[in-house]
Every structure is written in structure tokens, then in C-alpha cells.
Amino acid sequence: MPGLHRLTDVWVYLAASPLLGLTTTLVAYLVALQLYQRLRFNPLANPVLIAIAIVVSILVITGTPYKTYFEGAQFVHFMLGPATVALAMPLYKQWHNFRRAVLPLMLGLAAGSVTAVVTAVGIAYAMGAPRQIMVSLAPKSATTPIAMAISERFGGLPSLTAVLVICTGILGAVTARYILNFLRIDSHPVRGFALGVASHGIGTARALQVSAEMGAFAGLGMGLNGVFTAVLVPVAMPLMLRWIGS
């Protein structure tokens, strides 16, 4: 089978170079995006979720170490910073709307952040999870770098926190539309801000696909929640652990 031999040769070449991770990541996302478009942007076909599943499957099937994969994938990882900074443009364009809703936004931010931390720790405690798991869960709704730093500071598992952050983002991006529709919340600013606070970057990406206004409010929610969580968890975590006797 000449075609199979050519494919094998290409894989062997890529496996020996940093192009492996980059190529695998881009191809997986393009495939996931095509499927997402064919399904008319159904939230259940979230391209991030599908791309992760494809990449993990390829690495497991080929026996490729994560370290080898990340040598190329780090180029995509590097672009997360500029992509986040680029959110400043839609934020700037919606600044006049932000100013009109400062109080509701701050109240929503406080309610969302506190609820995310308290429910995560409370449910974990009720299920008998050890202290380390509870600490790892607490900052799950913040962006990955902030969440991992908080987790490490209080004795959690940063790698577990990173996985929980990604799962939280995907879950929010997949279910938010149905939950908000059920609650009859139609306002794009409200929907966007809720997505950003609850589901950080993945939720923000989903919001940007709906409208620029929704994406701008999601970006604002993501940024403010990261800062608020970084302040909230160091203050609240010791109190909660002391209260539950952990």
C-alpha cells in the first residue's frame, strides 16, 4: 500500500522534529473546526474538546511522549499571550457600555467568583476529597496560569488544576447556551460576561463566535475573574479549610 508507506514516512519525519506537535495540533483543530461548522456550530461539537480528543488519541496510538509533542506545540502555546492581549480591541470598542453597567458587572463578578470557589470546595468536601484535591479545585474558573499558581501556593496539584480549568471551560462553552436559554437570558452582554466569568478563555472564544459585543463582555469577565480569584482564594481558602477541619 504505497499511500500507507508514504504516510508512515511522513510521520517518522515529523516525529524526529519539533514539527510533530505543531502539525498535530493544527490539523486536529482544523478537523474539529470543520466538524463544528458542518454541525452548524452546535455547542456540543465544541472544537476545543474534539481537537483535544484527537490529539490525545494520536499520542496514545503512536506512543509519542508528551515532551516530544510539546516541543512543537509550544509555538501555539506561546501565541496564547498575544491572543489574550488582542482581546483589548473589542474591550476598547465596548468601553462605553462597560461604564454604564459597572455596578451590575461587579456584583455579578463577585457572585460568580465566590460561587465557583465555594461550591467546588464544598462539593469536594462532601464527597470526602482530601485537602490537596480541594485546593486544586478552588481556582478552576480562573485562567490556567493564575489557577495553577494559586493551586501550587496552597499545596494543590498544578497539573490537576490545569486539567480542571480546561474541563470547566469546555463544560461552560458546551452548556451555557442551554442554561441561559432556559433562564430566558437573551442579552448578549449578560451572556458574554457570564461565560467569561465561569468559563474563562474557552468560554470567551465561544462568545466571540456569536458576536463582538458578547465576546467583549466575556473577555472582561475572564480578566476580572482572574484578578478577583487571585485575591479571593488566598483569603478564603485558609478560612474554609479551617472551618471544615482539613
Side-chain angles (χ1 to χ4, degrees):
M1 300 178 65
L4 180 60
H5 286 302
R6 282 197 295 269
L7 183 60
T8 303
D9 292 339
V10 171
W11 181 261
V12 170
Y13 169 73
L14 290 175
S17 73
L19 289 174
L20 171 68
L22 181 61
T23 304
T24 302
T25 303
L26 294 178
V27 170
Y29 186 75
L30 288 174
V31 171
L33 189 60
Q34 285 293 320
L35 180 60
Y36 185 50
Q37 292 171 342
R38 286 179 178 273
L39 294 175
R40 299 181 180 180
F41 303 102
N42 189 309
L44 298 177
N46 186 275
V48 176
L49 175 61
I50 296 174
I52 290 175
I54 292 174
V55 171
V56 170
S57 299
I58 291 174
L59 297 184
V60 170
I61 292 172
T62 60
T64 303
Y66 177 78
K67 183 179 179 181
T68 303
Y69 161 75
F70 192 71
E71 286 179 358
Q74 63 181 325
F75 297 110
V76 178
H77 179 75
F78 171 78
M79 294 305 297
L80 287 175
T84 302
V85 173
L87 289 173
M89 184 56 66
L91 289 176
Y92 173 75
K93 291 181 178 179
Q94 293 294 325
W95 181 248
H96 60 288
N97 290 326
F98 297 154
R99 294 177 61 184
R100 296 174 185 171
V102 171
L103 182 58
L105 289 175
M106 292 302 101
L107 291 175
L109 170 67
S113 296
V114 172
T115 300
V117 174
V118 173
T119 55
V121 175
I123 292 173
Y125 172 71
M127 296 181 68
R131 179 185 186 279
Q132 194 173 43
I133 299 299
M134 289 189 285
V135 173
S136 302
L137 273 166
K140 63 176 179 54
S141 290
T143 56
T144 304
I146 295 175
M148 291 179 69
I150 294 172
S151 176
E152 186 175 17
R153 168 69 176 80
F154 287 94
L157 299 170
S159 56
L160 175 60
T161 299
V163 173
L164 292 169
V165 169
I166 294 172
C167 291
T168 299
I170 292 174
L171 182 63
V174 168
T175 63
R177 186 174 80 176
Y178 304 108
I179 294 173
L180 294 171
N181 286 347
F182 176 78
L183 296 174
R184 297 182 180 179
I185 297 174
D186 300 320
S187 169
H188 277 203
V190 176
R191 292 171 75 101
F193 194 75
L195 259 175
V197 171
S199 305
H200 48 80
I202 298 176
T204 299
R206 169 62 184 159
L208 283 167
Q209 292 172 341
V210 178
S211 73
E213 183 183 35
M214 187 171 172
F217 275 84
L220 179 66
M222 177 185 70
L224 291 178
N225 187 48
V227 175
F228 193 88
T229 302
V231 175
L232 173 65
V233 173
V235 174
M237 199 68 208
L239 297 175
M240 286 189 291
L241 293 176
R242 192 179 303 119
W243 181 71
I244 62 181
S246 178

